[in-house]
Amino acid sequence: MKDLGLTYPYKKLDPIFYNDEVTIPLKNPKLLSKNQQLINEIGLELNDDELTLLLNGKLEIKDFTPYAGAYSGHQFGYFTPNLGDGRALNFGSINGIHLQTKGLGVTKYSRYADGRAVLRSSIREYLLSEAMNGLGIPTTRALALIGSDTTVYRDKTEKCAVVMRTSPSWIRFGSFEFARIQHNVELSKQLADFVIEESFPDLKKLSNKYEELFFRVVDKTITLMALWQSVGFMHGVMNSDNMNIAGLTIDYGPFAFMEEFQKDYVCNHSDKEGRYAFSNQPFIARWNLLVLAESFKKFANHELLENYANKFIPRFKDQYFAIMGKKLGFNSVQSDDRELILEMFDILEICKIDYTVFFYYLSCENYDGIILMSENSEMIKMWLDKYQKRLEFETVLKSDRLFKMKKTNPKYVLKNYILQDVIADIENGNTELLNDILAIAQDPYSEYPKYEKYALPTPKNLAGFICSCSS
Ligand code: AMP
Ligand code: MG
């Protein structure tokens, strides 16, 4: 029997918020990858066999009582009352970090689904959470990944896997929607107090703590959106149940990183109306915050909350343009900067230029490389001229500017075609690429000569790989 020192702070809430569950292990589990960096951070002392057993729900652990959380949510704009952890199991917490598996079988909240996660989507979540963390973007993380011989049917028969994810908070905007529909304001307040304790303890003593809590969620969400947009990350399913109260990226599904820049790109095959298009993400975040404000209505001043949420877009723009200025190497702010940046987006789109590679090449002063990528060299040359003239206003040493730009503009982002290569390799029984890509994800600003090809524009025949929600 292992003593991991697990605690269950969430279970202090009313039992309406969760259900105790049992694990339903996979057949022939095999450890595919472990995230030693995170294992060390958490201080988990397990050998590989024990880690495999842990992820498969078969490690004998002292005081182990896994549970699934209840939540509701607006999915593609429509309210769904009965969501919840349909395939996630909360294993308990170690020093404020909550461990959760995804794919260990059905729970009270599975509805008609099987409680499993397929290998390809588990690989995607495992790598992407580390990639976002490596980019300095708030996110849940991933501790390890096991594959198995258990199969489920999606569009075809597929192998199941389990990823263990970790987070300082698993509370979703939808958790408050769930509390609201219980028609007992004490339950909503209980949840709000829990979130304050867990994520914003400095608010505890304030007389207007619930309003302040909401303001903090808005602030965190604005920052998250500015960061997503700056790296060209598209979540794909920004339903309110996939929005984290502590401002973390959660629930990696059909996400994508921008390849050739297209401001209205839609990465989710099921999103026929483009609700979650790249350019729409900040607006959807604000929409979700307004939904959250509705759930706070009975115990906080709704007008104050709405007014605060309605300042989202101008405040988002300030943060976003500040980050974009840094990506371009601007230390100062000039009056025409926003115009230059907006013009850049139009030109990137018309010239079909790879977003990440563009900024990386700017950081290397590889202007010829940018022109070569462009489908309209005159246009991009014109913009590059303006950009270079703008740089003349900068007083910092060029070498310092380029050094800083290289720390802001990653050489690598995990585009879908790279993840497809990893998935193919794992399906063929090789784990080397998975673990190499994990290392790149964790430090995407460094050089990896063996993987130079992944720092180039996406090959045309592999670009635009689109996932659906089925996973
Ligand atoms: P998602 O689109 O992944 O955010 O999932 C939406 C809801 O469906 C959540 O409540 C999930 O827990 C649930 N869900 C998704 N896939 C499954 C599955 N295979 N088994 C059980 N529940 C699932
Ligand atoms: Mg979800």
Side-chain angles (χ1 to χ4, degrees):
M1 174 87 62
K2 277 268 165 189
D3 185 357
L4 301 180
L6 291 179
T7 60
Y8 292 88
Y10 186 81
K11 290 200 190 185
K12 288 189 204 125
L13 290 176
D14 189 282
I16 190 91
F17 286 111
Y18 62 89
N19 194 54
D20 284 332
E21 304 284 350
V22 292
T23 59
I24 308 172
L26 300 175
K27 276 185 271 175
N28 297 329
K30 183 170 173 245
L31 187 65
L32 298 176
S33 179
K34 63 176 175 176
N35 180 355
Q36 197 58 49
Q37 212 182 67
L38 184 58
I39 290 173
N40 295 347
E41 275 174 42
I42 294 179
L44 261 190
E45 283 177 17
L46 297 176
N47 63 36
D48 285 1
D49 290 340
E50 291 166 333
L51 189 61
T52 310
L53 286 169
L54 173 72
L55 264 74
N56 204 26
K58 287 185 100 170
L59 187 67
E60 289 195 22
I61 311 168
K62 187 166 170 279
D63 300 331
F64 183 53
T65 51
Y67 67 92
Y71 51 85
S72 308
H74 274 76
Q75 299 187 302
F76 291 90
Y78 297 98
F79 183 61
T80 312
N82 300 313
L83 292 170
D85 296 323
R87 52 179 167 168
L89 288 180
N90 296 283
F91 270 37
S93 315
I94 303 175
N95 297 327
I97 297 298
H98 314 306
L99 311 184
Q100 189 179 81
T101 51
K102 190 166 173 181
L104 271 187
V106 285
T107 74
K108 181 184 174 188
Y109 311 106
S110 300
R111 295 176 291 169
Y112 301 105
D114 53 25
R116 295 299 187 198
V118 296
L119 180 59
R120 70 187 147 82
S121 69
S122 306
I123 293 170
R124 287 169 58 83
E125 172 139 24
Y126 180 72
L127 286 176
L128 240 289
S129 29
E130 286 311 293
M132 293 296 264
N133 189 58
L135 290 166
I137 300 179
T139 178
T140 63
R141 298 192 60 190
L143 190 104
L145 171 70
I146 57 169
S148 76
D149 287 340
T150 303
T151 57
V152 285
Y153 191 80
R154 296 291 184 256
D155 294 330
K156 56 182 186 295
T157 299
E158 294 195 53
K159 290 260 172 77
C160 294
V162 167
V163 60
M164 177 165 270
R165 16 183 231 182
T166 71
S167 179
S169 168
W170 284 111
I171 308 296
R172 298 141 191 276
F173 289 13
S175 311
F176 281 92
E177 294 175 70
F178 175 81
R180 178 181 60 84
I181 59 168
Q182 308 308 315
H183 301 294
N184 173 357
V185 71
E186 292 311 314
L187 290 175
S188 296
K189 283 204 223 165
Q190 206 183 82
L191 184 63
D193 285 329
F194 176 78
V195 170
I196 289 173
E197 180 78 40
E198 183 172 81
S199 303
F200 307 99
D202 59 309
L203 302 182
K204 232 176 348 192
K205 296 248 153 56
L206 300 184
S207 58
N208 60 344
K209 61 180 175 178
Y210 297 130
E211 285 83 5
E212 288 291 332
L213 166 61
F214 182 82
F215 299 162
R216 286 286 175 87
V217 179
V218 175
D219 295 350
K220 295 262 182 200
T221 309
I222 289 174
T223 302
L224 186 67
M225 288 308 113
L227 289 166
W228 280 10
Q229 299 304 107
S230 73
V231 296
F233 174 76
M234 294 166 272
H235 183 281
V237 208
M238 285 178 70
N239 295 336
S240 61
D241 50 295
N242 290 338
M243 299 286 297
N244 179 275
I245 208 79
L248 311 173
T249 313
I250 47 166
D251 283 14
Y252 291 90
F255 64 80
F257 276 100
M258 190 64 79
E259 294 171 324
E260 285 175 4
F261 185 77
Q262 264 177 275
K263 76 175 181 347
D264 296 327
Y265 189 78
V266 180
C267 66
N268 180 351
H269 183 64
S270 317
D271 183 9
K272 300 290 181 219
E273 289 173 9
R275 180 178 171 86
Y276 300 134
F278 177 66
S279 54
N280 232 13
Q281 295 190 127
F283 297 94
I284 288 291
R286 184 189 55 180
W287 191 91
N288 282 324
L289 284 162
L290 289 169
V291 167
L292 182 66
E294 286 292 315
S295 301
F296 272 53
K297 215 174 186 164
K298 289 266 164 63
F299 61 99
N301 181 327
H302 191 240
E303 200 183 328
L304 287 180
L305 308 192
E306 268 198 341
N307 287 345
Y308 200 84
N310 279 327
K311 288 190 211 115
F312 186 105
I313 295 299
R315 292 187 53 214
F316 157 78
K317 280 189 184 164
D318 286 347
Q319 287 197 29
Y320 176 59
F321 280 110
I323 300 173
M324 294 312 291
K326 283 209 187 96
K327 283 174 79 71
L328 290 168
F330 302 160
N331 200 38
S332 61
V333 178
Q334 303 290 324
S335 57
D336 297 342
D337 283 354
R338 287 193 182 193
E339 209 177 301
L340 185 72
I341 292 169
L342 291 173
E343 192 185 354
M344 170 194 83
F345 284 124
D346 287 342
I347 289 174
L348 289 183
E349 181 143 10
I350 295 167
C351 298
K352 299 195 177 325
I353 293 177
D354 186 290
Y355 184 77
T356 306
V357 182
F358 172 73
F359 283 101
Y360 179 70
Y361 283 0
L362 282 185
S363 332
C364 309
E365 286 194 311
N366 181 4
Y367 302 138
D368 289 344
I370 293 174
I371 295 165
L372 266 178
M373 271 197 289
S374 173
E375 290 203 353
N376 184 328
S377 53
E378 287 316 306
M379 240 178 162
I380 192 68
K381 271 188 200 158
M382 180 196 72
W383 186 87
L384 286 170
D385 281 347
K386 279 194 197 173
Y387 171 65
Q388 281 164 284
K389 290 212 176 74
R390 163 64 184 82
L391 284 177
E392 287 167 12
F393 288 97
E394 291 298 321
T395 49
V396 272
L397 275 178
K398 185 162 113 174
S399 56
D400 287 350
R401 171 170 59 79
L402 294 177
F403 180 79
K404 272 198 193 155
M405 284 175 76
K406 283 221 178 104
K407 299 243 174 255
T408 316
N409 295 310
K411 179 161 179 174
Y412 294 91
V413 295
L414 301 193
K415 296 169 177 171
N416 278 340
Y417 84 97
I418 302 176
L419 296 171
Q420 286 303 104
D421 281 356
V422 175
I423 291 165
D425 253 44
I426 291 283
E427 284 173 351
N428 290 329
N430 305 319
T431 53
E432 186 188 332
L433 187 60
L434 171 67
N435 287 305
D436 286 356
I437 296 294
L438 176 66
I440 294 177
Q442 291 179 328
D443 181 8
Y445 303 97
S446 290
E447 302 288 328
Y448 302 90
K450 191 172 160 195
Y451 293 108
E452 206 55 40
K453 65 174 181 175
Y454 290 145
L456 296 173
T458 308
K460 295 270 182 209
N461 59 329
L462 302 176
F465 179 87
I466 288 189
C467 288
S468 73
C469 281
S470 108
S471 62

